Amino acid sequence: MPVSLRVKNRIPQNPRRILLLTSNLHKFAEAQTILKTFGVSIVRKPAKGIEIQSDSIEEVARVCAKNAYRRFRVPLLVEDSGLFVQSLRGFPGVYSSAIYDQVGCAGILRLLAQERQRSAKFVCALAYADKNGIRIFRGAVRGQIARRLVRGAGFGYDPVFIPSGYSKPFSALPKVKAKLSHRARAFASFGRFMEKKSKR
Ligand code: ITT
């Protein structure tokens, strides 16, 4: 989970306008759509630079958010996600980004070519940092790895991930993804937290 600490643009001071540190435009767009419904707006900061190695996506998000907050001193979010395939003992998991870059969805299909057990889950760990410290919001969605790749909407592993209760992958179900993805769940949980916070 690379996070850049090179800030060139203006940093928002409005507490309900929060930085999301990510290089992934799809991730940003999905997060923005969800948070809008809670009246929270986010500003993207490209993320390249600080990388930590960990076997936990939660730890990656937490440490990156902590380091970034030390630098920027404004409320910010760092999100780390991964695809965990049961028959591969959770692989690619924390290595999802690197594995995607190297072998893509086709590589996951090759690894599972002879496998009948195709259960998998997407997990998202969202770390929010402000003057009170770090809070973690989690989201997960269970499903199956498809037998074939279906190109369409979305990004990353969406063409091969079929959410439970559906017969098509996320790439063919953008509205479903917007409601029940790992990211939708983690950001909705953060949105509810912000709503409560604003009423205090
Ligand atoms: P940042 O670290 O800059 O935020 P990233 O794309 O590297 O962007 P992650 O490390 O969180 O983001 O994601 C790991 C990989 O998991 C990423 O390369 C995607 O291919 C995949 N991934 C994450 N969320 C996904 C989603 O909603 N749908 C499909 N693939 C996803």
Side-chain angles (χ1 to χ4, degrees), residues 18 35 40 77 126 128 137 186-194:
I18 296 162
L35 290 181
V40 176
L77 292 160
L126 176 63
Y128 172 62
F137 302 85
F187 275 88
S189 165
F190 171 66
R192 286 191 289 274
F193 163 77
M194 291 301 283

Side-chain angles (χ1 to χ4, degrees), residues 5 8 17 19 27 31 48 69 86-87 90 97 99 133 150 155-156 164 193:
L5 290 187
K8 295 199 178 99
R17 279 190 93 206
L19 287 185
K27 188 188 263 195
K48 285 272 171 238
Y69 186 77
Q86 192 174 315
S87 63
S97 195
I99 295 302
V150 179
F155 67 100
S164 295
F193 163 77

Side-chain angles (χ1 to χ4, degrees), residues 69-112:
Y69 186 77
R70 272 195 198 132
R71 170 80 182 257
F72 300 147
R73 297 280 161 197
V74 294
L76 58 85
L77 292 160
V78 173
E79 187 244 66
D80 199 31
S81 300
L83 177 70
F84 295 75
V85 179
Q86 192 174 315
S87 63
L88 302 177
R89 296 187 195 156
F91 186 80
V94 285
Y95 308 108
S96 293
S97 195
I99 295 302
Y100 182 80
D101 290 346
Q102 284 169 33
V103 298
C105 289
I108 298 294
L109 292 185
R110 276 197 299 276
L111 281 173
L112 294 182

Side-chain angles (χ1 to χ4, degrees), residues 1-2 21-24 27 30 47 79-83 96-97 100 122 155-158 177 182-183:
M1 166 11 98
L21 292 157
T22 181
S23 56
N24 186 324
K27 188 188 263 195
E30 289 184 7
E79 187 244 66
D80 199 31
S81 300
L83 177 70
S96 293
S97 195
Y100 182 80
F122 265 129
F155 67 100
Y157 298 106
D158 283 345
K177 187 183 181 194
H182 52 311
R183 179 163 304 104

Side-chain angles (χ1 to χ4, degrees), residues 3-21:
V3 174
S4 171
L5 290 187
R6 275 175 282 136
V7 179
K8 295 199 178 99
N9 306 338
R10 207 164 52 84
I11 289 175
Q13 295 300 328
N14 178 343
R16 282 174 80 80
R17 279 190 93 206
I18 296 162
L19 287 185
L20 174 59
L21 292 157

Side-chain angles (χ1 to χ4, degrees), residues 129-198:
D130 68 7
K131 61 180 176 5
N132 300 315
I134 311 283
R135 257 177 191 269
I136 303 290
F137 302 85
R138 297 171 196 82
V141 57
R142 291 186 182 277
Q144 300 280 318
I145 299 300
R147 298 237 164 231
R148 273 177 279 112
L149 210 144
V150 179
R151 293 198 195 282
F155 67 100
Y157 298 106
D158 283 345
V160 293
F161 183 84
I162 303 175
S164 295
Y166 293 84
S167 56
K168 293 176 185 169
F170 268 158
S171 55
L173 302 167
K175 286 185 185 156
V176 172
K177 187 183 181 194
K179 278 206 176 125
L180 55 76
S181 80
H182 52 311
R183 179 163 304 104
R185 288 172 169 161
F187 275 88
S189 165
F190 171 66
R192 286 191 289 274
F193 163 77
M194 291 301 283
E195 254 179 0
K196 272 193 203 147
K197 202 170 143 193
S198 71

